[in-house]
Amino acid sequence: MNQTVKLVLEDGTEIEGQSFGAFTSAAGEVVFSTAMTGYPENLTDPSFAGQILVLTYPMVGNYGVPGEELYESISKIFESDKIHIAGLVVNYYSEEHSHWNAAKSLGDWLAEYNIPGIFGVDTRMLTKKLREKGAMLGKIVAEQDVPLHDPNLENLVAQVSPQGVQHYGTGQHKIVLVDCGTKTNIIRCFLERDVELIRVPWDYDFTTLDYDGLFLSNGPGDPKMCEATIQNLQKALQQDKPIFGICLGSQLMGLAAGGDTFKLKYGHRSHNQPVKLTGTQRCYITSQNHGFAVDTATLPAEWDMLFENLNDGTCEGIKHASKPFFSTQFHPEAAGGPQDTEFLFDDFLKAVAAYKAGR
Amino acid sequence: MNKPNKVLILGSGALKIGEAGEFDYSGSQALKALKEEGIRTILINPNIATVQTSDDIADDVYFLPVTPYFVEEVIKKEQPDGILVAFGGQTALNCAVALYRGGVFEKYNVRVLGTPVQSIIDTEDRDIFKEKLDQIGVLTARSEAVTTMEGALAAAERIGFPIIVRAAFALGGLGSGFANNMDELRTLAQKAFSTSDQILVEESLKGWKEVEYEVVRDAFDNCITVCNMENFDPIGIHTGESIVVAPSQTLSNREYHKLRSIGIQTIRHLGIVGECNIQYALDPHSEEYRVIEVNARLSRSSALASKATGYPLAFVAAKLSLGYSLAELKNSVTQTTSAFFEPSLDYLVVKLPRWDLGKFSGVQREIGSAMKSVGEVMAIGKTFEEAVQKGLRMLDTGRRGFVANKPEPIDLTKLDTLLSEPNEERIFAINEAFQAGYDVERVYELTRIDRWFLQRLYGIYQLGQQLAEKRRQGGLDALETDLLRQAKKMGFSDQQLAVQLLGSAEVKANEMLVRARRKALGVVPVVKQIDTLAAEFPAQTNYLYLTYHGTENDLEPETDKSVVVLGSGVYRIGSSVEFDWCGVNAAQTVNEEGYKSIIINYNPETVSTDYDVSDRLYFEELSYERVMDILDFETPQGVILSTGGQIPNNIATRLEAAGAPILGTAAARIDEAENRHKFSSILDELGIAQPRWSELTTMEAIYGFVKEVGFPVLIRPSYVLSGAAMNVVSNVPELEEYLKLAVDVSAEYPVVVSQFIQDAKEIELDAVADQGEIVSYAISEHVEFAGVHSGDATMYYPPQRVYVGTVRKLKVIAEKIARRFQISGPFNIQFLEKNREIRVIECNLRASRSFPFVSKVSGHNLIKKATKVLLGQHVERDASELVYDLPFVGVKASQFSFTRLQGADPVLRVDMTSTGEVGCLGDTAEEALLKSLLSVGYRIPEKTVLISSGPLTSKVALLESAQVLVQKGYTLYATHGTHSFYAENGVPSTLVYWPDELQEPNALTYLRERKIDLVINIPKNTTKGELDNDYKIRRTAVDFNIPLITNARLAKAFIHAFTTLKLEDLSIKSWKEFKAM
C-alpha cells in the first residue's frame, strides 16, 4: 500500500490520497489541465513552473516515460531538461505501464526530480472547485508541513530562463528566440525550417544582435514580471523586423504595445481549446496552457485581435495592423496536443523572408 | 448554401449483424436537427420497431425497402430537394451510390446533402481510396484490388501470406477473412466474390494495435476529431467484434496526435462534409501506422463515440450538411460553448460485443475480421477495471464480471488455443490463464493484447484472490473498509464480493449481506456527470454514471416528482430496438403526465440513451445492485419495468422486496406468470387449455410422458452445450440425438417436455390492462404454423384468416388472465388455434416485441396507454374491437443474418434466430407481405426456383404454388422426392441431385453457378444423411446470397404474392396516406 499524503487548499479543503513519485511536501498554485495525453510533455513545460497540476483524465502513467534523446543539445523527447511542476494530482495512477519507448514509470520519474504526486483524489470534484472559485494556492503534504506559497509573486521567468546565449542550427533566416521558459518543440519547429536560432535569456538586450526575425517564447507566471523583456520589446516594435510571440510571448507583445493583461479565473490548460481566426469562418483546435490573457479592449488602435477563443471570447492572439507582428495565446508547436496550427511558423518565416526581400 | 425545403432520409432497414440500432439513433438525431430548421422530412425505412419511424419524428414515413427502385419511386412522388444518405448505414450508402450512378439524383434534381457521393465512392472503392491516400503520402496496407480468382491468387503471391481478404462495398466486414495459404484464399475469395464484384487482397497486420478516430468536417474546411478509440484486441478482429476503449489508453501524445493529424489531412483530402470514421493499424513497437479504412457515414463507432463523449455526432453532422459551420453550432451539453471543440473525457468507456452464437447450430465460434456479434454494451468508469467489469455484467450472459463467475472446468490443453485464436470467450480464458499460473507476459505472447490491458485484468484477478483469502479469515467480517472500497473501485459487484467472501451458494442472499454491510460502512458510489469538457464548463444536461472513484455527487437528487424507466439493456436475439421504442415512449409519456423521467440503460445503440430523451439518463447497469443504488439516491415516485423486455422483469421480485415503488402489475404476479409450474396451475384453475407438458428428471419419465402425449414433442433441456436451447423431435432417435447435447438429465438439470401440436395457427394478443381490465388490445396472426418462434414468424395485423368467433374466444381468455393476474400495464399472450380449439402457450406481463408494430399499424400507441395506466391515469377503453375495419394490412417480417454466421444452419425453428424485423403496409395482405419480404432481402425470382419440399404434408401444401410458378413461366428444379411427387401430379420440373449424390446436375453446383433465383427447402425430420443434404443446400444458398425459404406456409404466401403482384403494382404510399384511408 502506498503512503498516505494530503492535498491542502487555501480555502481549507483537505483531501487525503496516496503518494506516488517523491514522498515529500510541496506548495504552489493548484491548476487543472483537461488534456487526456501528454504528461511527459506537460510536466516538463516550463510554463507550469510553481504549479501543482491536477489532471482531469482519470488514469495516468499508462505509457510510462520515454528515455531521453538529444538533438543539437536539446531534448528530442521532453519540453525542457527537467520536470517543472511543483506537484501532480491524479485520480488513479497506473503503476504498471506499457509502451515500446518507455524507460521508466511516471512515479520513478517524479521521484528522480523529487516531485510529489498524489492519487486517489476525486479530481472532478477538485476541478469543479477550481472552476468555481478560481485557481488557488495549495500544497501536497507528506510528513513535514510546508507553508502555502504563491508562485505568481515571484519572477518565475527569471527562474526558468537560461543563463547565456546559445546558437542552434544553420539556415538562411536568423531568428532570435527570447527564452522566457520556452518549450523545446518551439526550437525543434524552427530548426526544421531553415533557421539559425539564437536563444537568449529573458532579459537579454537582443536589439544589439543582428537578426531577421524575433520570437517571444512561452513561459510561466504573470507577464508583468518581465519588465526587462517588455522594455527590449518596445524597442523592437519601433522597427519593422517580423515578431512572433506564443503564450507568454503574446502577453508580452500586448503589454509592450501598450495594452494590459489580466489573470483568468482558472486559465486554459487543455488540448481542445477552439479558436477562430478573426473575420473568417476558419477555426482551429489548439493546445493551451496559460493563466493570463491580453485584455483586447486595452490594445492601441493599430493592434487587432488575431484569434478569438470560441468558448469564452478571450483573446487568443494579436496582430499589428501594418507591421509583421503577431502572436498566439495558444501553442502552435503543440507537444502535447493538436498540431493544426504549426503552419504559423511557416507564416512567420514567410514574413521574415518578405521583410528581407523588401529591406 | 440555400436550405432545402424538403429532405428525404434513408434509413437502414431491419436490424442485422453489422447494422443495428445505431442507425435508429443517428437517423432520429438527423431528423431532429432538420425539424429544428423547419425543413419537411420524409423517411424511408421499413423498420417499424424504430423510434425514428414513430409519429412526429419525421413528417412522413414510407415503410418500404431501402433499395434503388423504391427510393426512386419515392423521389418521383415526393420531389424532395435534398437527400441525406449517411444516416442509414451501409444499406443507405449502397443504395445512394446506385442511385447516383443511375443519374437519379440529377434526373429529379435532388441535392445530396453533406458528403458528396463521389467522396463516398472514393472511400468505398479500395483502389481509388488507396490512390487518394497515396496522393497525400498517407500510408495504407499493401494491397491489391482484384476482380477475378486468378487475380487474387497472383496478388497473394506478390504480397505474401498471411493475407487478409476483404469484399468491397460490404457491411460489417462481410466476406472478409484471413488466409494463410492458397487453399484458404481460394475458399475465402469465392465467398467474397459472391457478395461483391471486387475483392481486396491485403498485407496482414496481425498483432498491430487498432485505433479509430471520429472526424467531423464542415463545408468551410474546419475539422475536428471528436473521439479516438483503441481496440483492446489487436488488429485482425473486426472493430464490431472487439472490446474497445475510449479514449485510447496506451498511446503516447505523439502517437495520438500523429494519427489525429493524419485523420484530419485525409478527411480534408477526401472532401467529406459531416461525420466519418477513420481506422488505423499502429505498430506496437514504433510509430509506424497504416490507414485501414474510412467510413464516410455515421457508423457503429460514431454512435459509440457520441455516447462515449456526449458529443451528438449525428445531430451535428446533419446540421453541417445544411451548410452550417461548426463554430456556428453550440455544444449541446454546456449550451454556452462552441460545437467546434474536441471533447475531453474525465472517465473512460469500454464497449463490449455480445454474441449469441449459442443460438445457432453448426456456427463457427471463432471471431475475426467479419462481424458476428448481435449487440453491444458500453460501460463507463474512472478506470479500465471498473468499466470492464461493469461491461462484462451488462452483456447479460450470466457473468458477474471478470472473476467470481460460475466455475467452469478449465481444459488446460485448450487454453492456449482459446487465447491465441480469438473467440467470444477469450476474456474469460485470460482469467482462467491467470488461475492456471500464466503471467501477463505469457498471456501477451498468446493474445498480443497490449500488456497494459492485461496488467489491469491481472490486478482484478489478484484482488479477487485477496478477497478469497478473506473468506478463510472470516468472510465479510474480516473485510476491511479499505479493501472493500478498493474492490468497488475495481468494479467488483456485491455479488462478486459475496462469491469471493462467502462462497458460491446462496449468492443472492449473500449479496444482500454484502450490500447491507457496504452501506453501513458508508461505501456507496457517487453520481458523476458527462459534460464533454472534463468539468471545465458546467453541463446543462444530466447524462450520468456511477463510480466509486469519488467523494462528491455532481448533482442533487431530483426534487420534482420523478419516475424511473428501466431500459432493455444489450441487444441480443430476442430483444432489440422494439424495446427501445417502448422505453422511449414510456419516458415521453412520463414527461407528458408531468413527471420528471429518469432512464437507466447502457446500450450505446439506442435512442433511449440520448441524454435529451429523458430528464436524467443513468448510463448504468440494470442489475439489482445498481438500480437500487440509483433508487436509493433519487427516491423516485415510481419505477417502470414493463417496457424494457426481460432484463427488468428478472429483477422485479427483488426490487419490490427491497421496497422499490414498482408501477403496475405486482412482482408476485409477474413471478406467477414466469414460473412455468405456477402459471400452468393457474391456467388449469381458470379452465384455460394449454399444451400438455411436464418437467422430467429421468429418461424413463421422458419416455413415459412421450408415450402419453405422442410425438412430436418440444423438449427444453436446462443446459445444452451448443446449438438450439430447445427443439421439436418426432421420434425416438431424434429425441435421443437431441438429448445427447444436453449435459445431463437429472434433478438438477430437468428437461421440460411439451406436447407439440402440428399445423396449429399461432395468434398473439398485445394488450394493456388497468387493474385487471383490458383497455386496449391488438391481435395478430402468424403466417407460419406454430413451431416457428414468434420472434422469427411473419405476422399479419390485423389477422387475415382468423374467425371472428376465435377472436371472441381469445378475448375472453385474455380477460380472464388479465383479471386473475390483476394486470396493470402492458402484456402479451401467445395462443395456438387448431380446429377452433384454443390453447395458451405463453404469457408475458410486460410489453412484447410486437408492441411497436401493432401500435403503429393500429394507430393505438399501446405503450402510451400502458404508461398512463402505470401512472394511475384513467384510460378510456378504446375501439380495439374494430381492428377488422382497418382499411389496410400490416405485415411484420423477420430479418436473418445467417450470411454472417459461417456454418450456421439457416432454418426456422422453435428457438429464435432472427436479428431484426420490418413492418410494411399494403392495401392487401399480399402487397404488405411482398413489401416486407423484399425489405428483409428477398428478391422476386427471375426465372428459376429450386424446391425440396420436405415431408408429404408440405409437399401437398406447396403443390398448388408449384403449379402457379410453372404457369407463370418459372423453371422448377427439384430434388428426388419433390421431383417424383411433381411428376406424379403433372408439374414439370428438372431433377437436380442431392449434394451427397455427387452427380450432376447437382443442387450445389447450380447454386454456386447462380443458376437458381430462389431456394425453397423445407426441412424433414428424417435420417442424418438427408439432414446433411438439406443443410448443405440451405447453407450454400445463404453463402451465395440466394434467397431461401424454409417454411412451407411462408413459401406459399410469398409465391402467391409475387405471382399475383408485380414490383410496379406495389403502392408507393406513405404512412400518413394509409392512415388517412
Side-chain angles (χ1 to χ4, degrees), chain A residues 34 57 98 124 281 339-340, chain B residues 222 249 260-261 344 450 554:
Chain A
T34 66
Y57 191 70
S98 162
R124 185 171 168 86
Q281 290 277 25
Q339 306 154 337
D340 305 358
Chain B
N222 294 312
Q249 296 300 313
R260 177 188 172 280
S261 294
S344 173
D450 194 283
D554 270 350

Side-chain angles (χ1 to χ4, degrees), chain A residues 4-5 13 17 41 51 53 58 60 65 97 120 126-127 146 153 164 201 203 207 243 247 264 271 277-278 303 327 334:
Chain A
T4 301
V5 283
T13 307
E41 289 86 352
Q51 293 176 329
L53 179 62
V60 182
V65 177
H97 57 270
L126 188 56
T127 302
V146 286
L153 301 177
D203 54 353
T207 56
I243 311 177
C247 197
L264 294 166
H271 291 171
L277 183 63
T278 312
W303 288 84
S327 71

Side-chain angles (χ1 to χ4, degrees), chain A residues 185-230:
Chain A
N185 206 42
I186 291 175
I187 300 175
R188 286 178 225 126
C189 283
F190 277 119
L191 295 185
E192 283 162 14
R193 287 178 167 79
D194 200 15
V195 161
E196 179 189 342
L197 200 65
I198 308 159
R199 180 186 189 178
V200 302
W202 69 285
D203 54 353
Y204 189 85
D205 184 5
F206 50 80
T207 56
T208 62
L209 298 173
D210 167 34
Y211 67 92
D212 305 323
L214 178 64
F215 177 83
L216 310 167
S217 84
N218 65 298
D222 188 339
K224 289 174 184 163
M225 292 282 178
C226 302
E227 277 174 41
T229 325
I230 296 167

Side-chain angles (χ1 to χ4, degrees), chain B residues 564-584:
Chain B
V564 170
V565 178
L566 300 189
S568 60
V570 62
Y571 286 177
R572 80 283 301 276
I573 288 179
S575 170
S576 64
V577 69
E578 59 277 1
F579 291 109
D580 196 48
W581 180 86
C582 292
V584 169

Side-chain angles (χ1 to χ4, degrees), chain A residues 15-26:
Chain A
I15 302 166
E16 217 168 75
Q18 280 151 5
S19 166
F20 74 114
F23 183 65
T24 183
S25 303

